[in-house]
């Protein structure tokens, strides 16, 4: 079992920045592929970014490319999401997810490919 704990959500104005963190409690091989999803009110959960920790391979949704940066620390079993140039449409609950399979990190990023999920952290961007 892998427990994921997110932190860093907050309320900011458009154009601002936030850094989300996600820490995994279990062995790294249980969370080889880690990712961020988000869910806005009334909308389906969507993929934001993935990282294959051992190789640092990353993918991004088109909507966040150039603004968000995913990174990871294998020793700390943690990943981060640096969010810059935030827009009101980035408002959502952000979830960290993990899976032991490399395939989960291959696009497209899909909810059903990830076995472990955190509780989420709220990001609110005001105009």
């Amino acid at each position: 079992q892998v427990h994921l704990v997110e932190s860093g959500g907050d309320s900011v104005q458009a154009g601002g920045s936030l850094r989300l963190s996600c820490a995994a409690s279990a062995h790294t091989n249980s969370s080889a592929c880690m990712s961020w999803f988000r869910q806005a009110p009334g909308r389906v959960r969507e993929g934001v970014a993935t990282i294959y920790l051992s190789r640092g391979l990353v993918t991004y949704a088109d909507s966040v490319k150039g603004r968000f940066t995913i990174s990871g620390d294998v020793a700390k079993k943690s990943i981060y999401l640096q969010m810059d140039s935030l827009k009101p449409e980035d408002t959502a609950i952000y979830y960290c997810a993990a899976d032991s399979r490399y395939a989960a990190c291959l696009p497209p990023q899909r909810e059903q490919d990830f076995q472990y999920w955190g509780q989420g952290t709220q990001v609110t961007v005001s105009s």
Side-chain angles (χ1 to χ4, degrees), residues 5-96:
V5 179
E6 305 99 332
S7 61
D10 205 342
S11 297
V12 296
Q13 292 200 332
S17 298
L18 282 176
R19 185 175 188 246
L20 305 183
S21 299
C22 172
S25 64
H27 297 295
T28 303
N29 62 357
S30 298
S31 51
C33 175
M34 296 184 72
S35 65
W36 291 98
F37 286 79
R38 66 184 181 185
Q39 187 167 19
R43 303 191 66 176
V44 299
R45 194 175 300 186
E46 63 174 354
V48 176
T50 67
I51 183 167
Y52 188 62
L53 276 175
S54 63
R55 297 186 182 180
L57 299 175
V58 300
T59 67
Y60 295 97
D62 288 341
S63 58
V64 306
K65 279 181 182 176
R67 300 188 299 121
F68 290 10
T69 303
I70 189 170
S71 61
D73 186 325
V74 174
K76 295 182 178 180
K77 299 187 291 291
S78 295
I79 64 169
Y80 311 94
L81 187 68
Q82 177 66 41
M83 305 186 294
D84 298 319
S85 302
L86 282 162
K87 305 175 181 179
E89 51 264 43
D90 294 318
T91 295
I93 299 174
Y94 283 71
Y95 297 91
C96 177

